[in-house]
């Protein structure tokens, strides 16, 4: 078990239910159980956050199924995986101050989700998850992703009374036919999943994982060339899978909030993206998440 104190600018609900990830499930006590992975392994965990200084500062508890607290193995796993996965080294307090300076809109939307952070997710899982996300709602996306893992992922064992599964790799999905995916209920997205998997395999998985170091736009062009990937999905993959925080994904919610708060033409996706990049700079993707969360989770429910 991993325990870390003095965690700031943090909310499990705002992180795990903001539309950037789909494998974490809320529990009755406010914790989340899920599976997260990288190229080396998929990990099951129950994550809790115990506020000690206001709602968004406190103690992080990651129950990874190992006995004891903060063993050498726990410390290594935290530093190698969970700390970067949860983006805990980034100073979100400073980012929020910079985004809200002289901008009452950002001041308002940040106040609605001050504990949101951008996860550092596996490239491949993010690619497939956001192909599934097209014209879909979060609840249904989560169901599709879970079914995909249950049917085609490797079992990870029983964790908190339930069998957990790894996310299926590109070689597993590339070997399928669209009818194999019918139980997942992906609809028109099924051929895209298979064709994208085959394309990644054809060019080599290393190319996908090598995109993190790209600074010249090659990653965006590579992703947009994959079946089922357009500008919005590509930017989501770059933001949530490669932590390219300069990316500004534009979906129906972002179009709405940018039109309402910044007067942007709702039908001009390119103009909205360019405005977001110009206004928010290196933190465009983080600003986008505050805006998205506010319009989809807060204002829409009033």
């Amino acid at each position: 078990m991993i325990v870390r104190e003095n965690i700031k600018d943090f909310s499990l609900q705002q992180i795990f239910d903001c539309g950037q990830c789909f494998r974490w499930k809320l529990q009755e006590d406010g914790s989340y159980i899920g599976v997260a992975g990288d190229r080396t392994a998929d990990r099951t965990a129950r994550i809790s956050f115990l506020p000690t200084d206001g709602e968004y500062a406190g103690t992080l508890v990651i129950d990874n199924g190992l006995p004891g607290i903060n063993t050498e193995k726990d410390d290594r796993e935290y530093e190698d995986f969970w700390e970067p996965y949860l983006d805990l080294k980034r100073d979100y307090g400073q980012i929020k101050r910079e985004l809200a300076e002289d901008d009452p809109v950002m001041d308002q939307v940040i106040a609605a989700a001050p504990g949101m952070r951008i996860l550092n997710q596996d490239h491949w899982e993010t690619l497939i998850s956001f192909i599934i996300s097209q014209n879909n709602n979060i609840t249904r996306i989560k169901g599709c992703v879970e079914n995909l893992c249950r049917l085609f992922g490797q079992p990870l064992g029983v964790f908190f009374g339930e069998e957990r599964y790894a996310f299926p790799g590109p070689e597993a999905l590339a070997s399928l036919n669209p009818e194999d995916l019918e139980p997942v209920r992906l609809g028109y997205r099924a051929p895209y999943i298979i064709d994208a998997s085959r394309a990644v395999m054809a060019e080599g998985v290393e190319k996908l994982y090598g995109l993190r170091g790209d600074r010249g736009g090659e990653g965006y062009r590579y992703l947009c060339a994959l079946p089922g990937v357009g500008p919005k999905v590509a930017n989501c993959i770059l933001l949530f899978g490669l932590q390219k925080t300069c990316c500004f994904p534009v979906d129906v919610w972002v179009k709405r909030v940018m039109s309402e708060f910044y007067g942007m033409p709702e039908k001009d996706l390119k103009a909205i993206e360019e405005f977001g990049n110009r206004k928010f700079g290196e933190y465009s993707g983080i600003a986008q998440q505050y805006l998205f969360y506010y319009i989809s989770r807060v204002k829409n429910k009033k």
Side-chain angles (χ1 to χ4, degrees):
M1 183 176 292
I2 300 167
V3 178
R4 288 295 185 276
E5 299 177 343
N6 300 317
I7 302 296
K8 299 178 180 179
D9 307 299
F10 193 91
S11 164
L12 288 173
Q13 184 269 324
Q14 291 168 13
I15 293 169
F16 288 151
D17 282 330
C18 68
Q20 64 172 321
C21 61
F22 307 105
R23 300 207 67 194
W24 292 97
K25 186 175 181 180
L26 176 64
Q27 307 300 304
E28 290 184 0
D29 65 354
S31 66
Y32 280 76
I33 294 178
V35 180
D38 58 13
R39 295 198 69 186
T40 63
D42 280 49
R43 300 161 174 83
T44 54
R46 181 170 191 159
I47 302 183
S48 305
F49 187 66
L50 312 175
T52 57
D53 184 16
E55 189 176 352
Y56 302 105
T59 300
L60 177 68
V61 180
I62 303 174
D63 185 345
N64 54 5
L66 298 177
I69 297 177
N70 291 348
T71 64
E72 183 178 343
K73 187 173 182 179
D74 283 329
D75 290 339
R76 188 164 57 249
E77 182 178 326
Y78 176 78
E79 293 171 3
D80 291 346
F81 182 76
W82 292 111
E83 188 175 46
Y85 177 78
L86 295 168
D87 203 22
L88 292 174
K89 285 188 175 182
R90 197 187 301 270
D91 187 349
Y92 277 79
Q94 178 60 33
I95 292 170
K96 288 185 286 188
R97 287 189 291 272
E98 289 186 27
L99 289 173
E101 186 176 4
D102 300 323
D103 189 336
V105 170
M106 289 307 301
D107 189 47
Q108 177 182 354
V109 300
I110 288 171
M116 189 276 302
R117 286 175 175 263
I118 302 294
L119 295 174
N120 181 15
Q121 300 178 76
D122 177 73
H123 298 29
W124 166 251
E125 179 176 338
T126 311
L127 166 62
I128 298 302
S129 296
F130 278 93
I131 291 178
I132 294 173
S133 77
Q134 297 177 84
N135 300 311
N136 222 337
N137 63 66
I138 291 176
T139 300
R140 192 172 185 281
I141 298 165
K142 286 185 174 184
C144 290
V145 170
E146 191 57 38
N147 285 337
L148 190 71
C149 297
R150 179 175 53 83
L151 291 171
F152 303 107
Q154 294 295 318
L156 298 172
V158 176
F159 187 77
F160 280 94
E162 186 176 325
E163 184 72 58
R164 312 288 170 174
Y165 297 87
F167 197 90
E171 63 286 345
L173 298 184
S175 67
L176 302 177
N177 293 308
E179 53 268 26
D180 297 322
L181 289 174
E182 287 180 1
V184 184
R185 302 180 67 185
L186 295 170
Y188 72 89
R189 306 166 193 84
Y192 289 142
I193 297 294
I194 294 169
D195 291 344
S197 303
R198 292 173 179 173
V200 168
M201 291 293 293
E203 293 204 47
V205 179
E206 292 297 333
K207 185 164 185 177
L208 175 62
Y209 282 93
L211 297 180
R212 185 175 292 277
D214 166 53
R215 293 183 179 274
E218 179 186 348
Y220 180 82
R221 292 188 292 273
Y222 166 81
L223 291 169
C224 283
L226 294 175
V229 178
K232 177 257 182 177
V233 170
N235 278 321
C236 283
I237 297 164
L238 291 169
L239 176 59
F240 304 128
L242 286 83
Q243 285 211 318
K244 302 288 187 182
T245 58
C246 59
C247 294
F248 192 81
V250 180
D251 69 351
V252 63
W253 290 109
V254 175
K255 286 191 294 182
R256 187 176 303 175
V257 74
M258 295 301 284
S259 173
E260 181 173 340
F261 288 158
Y262 290 104
M264 297 299 298
E266 194 166 334
K267 293 183 179 181
D268 195 338
L269 274 65
K270 185 176 181 181
I272 293 172
E273 182 180 346
E274 289 177 350
F275 177 86
N277 290 146
R278 185 170 62 252
K279 178 170 179 56
F280 303 120
E282 65 175 311
Y283 300 134
S284 296
I286 297 175
Q288 187 265 8
Q289 275 301 96
Y290 289 128
L291 289 160
F292 173 86
Y293 188 94
Y294 181 83
I295 194 68
S296 65
R297 305 282 297 182
V298 179
K299 191 173 189 296
N300 189 55
K301 292 189 175 182
K302 288 183 178 180

